[in-house]
């Protein structure tokens, strides 16, 4: 079967040429899909013969809204999408003065195992296809009647653990015939998969790289983030410094402050040392409490920010949107899984669309 939504106009043209259709049909179909066409019959300028051929050979099932929550505080909307095979993922639409941003998922679940994160509790079900990432942007925008100017790959999943599909998604979303969203309007967040960071550096993409740091020392970071046992703090920062040298792009470091765990004075100092020689930005995030996890938000947000600033590190306390709707990573999917049981059983039932 052809996964039409994961294909570039050129790839579509090639596939259609093989069916004896003229090449320009590729661009036509790409444009229909980029506008959110839901069935072949929507594609009115395609000859009936091609539509019939595609009916048997192509898939492009749009995601279904399994749940939707609208924040009464700031208009943030959170979507739980059910994909064609019953797996569910989340996206969040955030409204900022500079435009609308969609935060999308890159995998159904996650295998990185971070101690504070809801998305990883039941492990990874599967990678998302490029088309499934694109659909989250497209159908969020259509449902909310909100043009999207920025994308963040910061939802469920680890984008660098699904890098080929993420790169293809970036190409698709970038296309002028499609959503035409420029690389500078896209951010990608990683827990620190060093080979992926190095591959991105080689490609010199103009996107913004966010690194989820959460601790500047191996002892704390390995406890919070198992990925640190494979790529330790020094290896990670070597890759970050090289990334900056290669791309000239300033990296953002995410840091969720956790009471008594990563909010000590010496840790602020250590962050500053690690960042020496590289312009960077530290985003201090209030820890979102996840019921399965026994970690508490730090009470030292402002103090920690001042400690960093005093050492020459640009740091901001992230304004939290959607505080009334579980709008942080993986929480909505998790709730849906809880409603239908726990762990494996819950994963199975959510795949059946039982939410
Ligand atoms: N896998 C990628 C992207 C998804 S997570 C990554 O690790 O960066 C998006 C961000 O939310 C990451 O910075 C992650 O560490 C953070 N996060 C996850 N759970 C959180 C929680 N309970 N409170 C605050 N931030 C959290």
């Amino acid at each position: 079967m052809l996964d039409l939504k994961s294909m570039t106009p050129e790839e579509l043209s090639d596939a259609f040429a093989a069916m004896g259709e003229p090449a320009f049909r590729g661009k036509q179909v790409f444009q229909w899909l980029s506008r959110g066409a839901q069935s072949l019959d929507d594609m009115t300028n395609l000859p009936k013969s091609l539509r019939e051929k595609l009916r048997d050979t192509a898939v492009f099932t749009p995601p279904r809204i399994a749940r939707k929550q609208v924040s009464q505080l700031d208009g943030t909307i959170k979507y739980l999408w059910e994909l064609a095979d019953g797996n569910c993922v989340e996206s969040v639409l955030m409204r900022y003065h500079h435009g609308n941003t969609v935060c999308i998922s890159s995998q159904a679940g996650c295998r990185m195992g971070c101690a504070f994160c809801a998305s990883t509790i039941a492990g990874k079900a599967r990678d998302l296809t490029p088309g499934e990432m694109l659909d989250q942007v497209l159908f969020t925008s259509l449902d909310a009647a909100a043009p999207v100017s920025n994308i963040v790959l910061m939802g469920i999943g680890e984008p660098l653990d699904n890098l080929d599909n993420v790169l293809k998604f970036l190409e698709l979303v970038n296309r002028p015939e499609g959503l035409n969203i420029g690389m500078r309007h896209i951010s990608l967040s990683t827990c620190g998969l060093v080979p992926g960071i190095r591959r991105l550096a080689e490609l010199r993409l103009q996107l913004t790289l966010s690194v989820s740091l959460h601790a500047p020392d191996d002892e704390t970071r390995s406890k919070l983030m198992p990925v640190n046992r494979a790529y330790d703090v020094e290896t990670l920062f070597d890759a970050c410094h090289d990334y900056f040298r290669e791309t000239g792009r300033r990296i953002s470091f995410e840091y969720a402050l956790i009471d008594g765990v990563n909010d000590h004075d010496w840790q602020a100092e250590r962050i500053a040392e690690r960042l020496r020689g590289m312009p960077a930005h530290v985003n201090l995030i209030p820890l979102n409490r996840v019921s399965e996890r026994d970690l508490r938000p730090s009470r030292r947000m402002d103090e920690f920010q001042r400690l960093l600033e005093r050492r020459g590190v640009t740091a901001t306390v992230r304004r939290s949107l959607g505080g009334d709707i579980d709008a942080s990573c993986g929480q909505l999917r998790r709730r849906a899984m809880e409603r239908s049981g726990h762990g494996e059983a819950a994963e199975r039932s959510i795949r059946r669309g039982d939410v």
Side-chain angles (χ1 to χ4, degrees):
M1 285 297 232
L2 289 177
D3 172 12
L4 294 187
K5 280 185 172 162
S6 295
M7 297 165 78
T8 61
E10 295 74 25
E11 288 167 341
L12 289 167
S13 292
D14 288 349
F16 296 161
M19 299 175 188
E21 297 287 338
F24 66 86
R25 298 281 180 223
K27 190 168 163 185
Q28 280 179 333
V29 169
F30 188 81
Q31 283 171 332
W32 279 117
L33 294 173
S34 304
R35 275 183 246 143
Q38 309 235 0
S39 89
L40 290 164
D41 298 321
D42 289 348
M43 306 186 188
T44 46
N45 61 356
L46 294 192
K48 214 160 168 242
S49 58
L50 177 57
R51 278 188 260 161
E52 285 311 316
K53 278 183 219 163
L54 291 179
R55 224 178 285 285
D56 303 328
T57 53
V59 280
F60 60 102
T61 318
R64 185 183 74 81
I65 298 177
R67 200 162 288 266
K68 175 178 168 181
Q69 291 183 324
V70 183
S71 166
Q72 299 307 307
L73 300 174
D74 50 42
T76 297
I77 308 180
K78 181 148 189 170
Y79 292 91
L80 183 70
W81 299 107
E82 187 187 326
L83 307 173
D85 67 348
N87 268 300
C88 286
V89 294
E90 293 172 26
S91 319
V92 184
L93 175 82
M94 294 163 287
R95 300 169 199 271
Y96 294 106
H97 298 302
H98 58 267
N100 298 316
T101 296
V102 189
C103 173
I104 65 162
S105 299
S106 55
Q107 296 175 317
C110 184
R111 61 190 186 117
M112 295 295 127
C114 297
F116 42 78
C117 183
S119 302
T120 198
I121 292 171
K124 182 182 93 165
R126 66 169 173 87
D127 289 332
L128 298 193
T129 64
E132 286 169 332
M133 290 181 247
L134 192 68
D135 273 352
Q136 293 174 62
V137 181
L138 183 61
F139 288 103
T140 295
S141 175
L142 289 173
D143 182 78
V148 169
S149 45
N150 296 280
I151 298 171
V152 295
L153 280 146
M154 245 191 214
I156 296 169
E158 166 52 45
L160 300 187
D161 187 38
N162 184 19
L163 187 51
D164 290 332
N165 286 351
V166 164
L167 290 174
K168 185 73 178 288
F169 156 73
L170 293 174
E171 184 185 351
L172 295 175
V173 84
N174 203 217
R175 296 294 294 237
E177 312 93 315
L179 295 181
N180 196 17
I181 297 177
M183 285 294 171
R184 286 175 180 263
H185 297 271
I186 299 176
S187 298
L188 182 155
S189 182
T190 178
C191 63
L193 286 179
V194 165
I197 295 174
R198 294 204 172 276
R199 215 176 130 199
L200 278 184
E202 268 169 36
L203 294 170
R204 292 196 174 77
L205 300 178
Q206 291 299 295
L207 53 73
T208 300
L209 181 65
S210 285
V211 173
S212 299
L213 182 61
H214 304 314
D217 56 290
D218 283 322
E219 197 190 332
T220 315
R221 196 164 191 273
S222 290
K223 273 189 209 140
L224 291 175
M225 306 176 72
V227 67
N228 196 70
R229 295 172 208 155
Y231 307 104
D232 65 12
V233 170
E234 182 160 345
T235 309
L236 174 62
F237 274 97
D238 280 349
C240 290
H241 281 270
D242 289 346
Y243 183 91
F244 174 70
R245 265 193 296 275
E246 293 272 335
T247 64
R249 305 282 297 164
R250 188 174 78 152
I251 298 178
S252 265
F253 290 88
E254 308 295 310
Y255 203 95
L257 276 169
I258 307 170
D259 188 36
V261 174
N262 64 0
D263 62 350
H264 301 288
D265 289 12
W266 65 267
Q267 283 162 320
E269 234 158 79
R270 194 73 72 81
I271 295 173
E273 277 164 32
R274 290 284 183 194
L275 291 177
R276 204 154 291 148
M278 172 172 63
H281 182 106
V282 176
N283 237 327
L284 299 172
I285 313 167
L287 179 80
N288 267 298
R289 289 195 87 149
V290 174
S291 52
E292 291 87 342
R293 310 299 206 195
D294 187 27
L295 296 167
R296 286 182 311 274
S298 167
R299 289 155 293 184
R300 305 191 67 209
M301 296 286 290
D302 295 333
E303 213 173 326
F304 203 82
Q305 180 192 18
R306 276 195 298 276
L307 287 170
L308 287 172
E309 294 275 358
R310 222 176 290 146
R311 286 167 180 76
V313 176
T314 315
T316 46
V317 173
R318 184 191 282 172
R319 189 166 68 96
S320 191
L321 295 180
D324 55 334
I325 57 164
D326 289 339
S328 77
C329 201
Q331 294 198 26
L332 192 59
R333 181 172 184 264
R334 193 68 206 138
R335 295 269 179 285
M337 287 167 74
E338 272 167 6
R339 266 193 297 278
S340 48
H342 277 288
E344 287 287 309
E347 188 73 41
R348 275 198 302 278
S349 62
I350 201 167
R351 284 167 55 91
R352 285 199 307 270
D354 194 7
V355 286

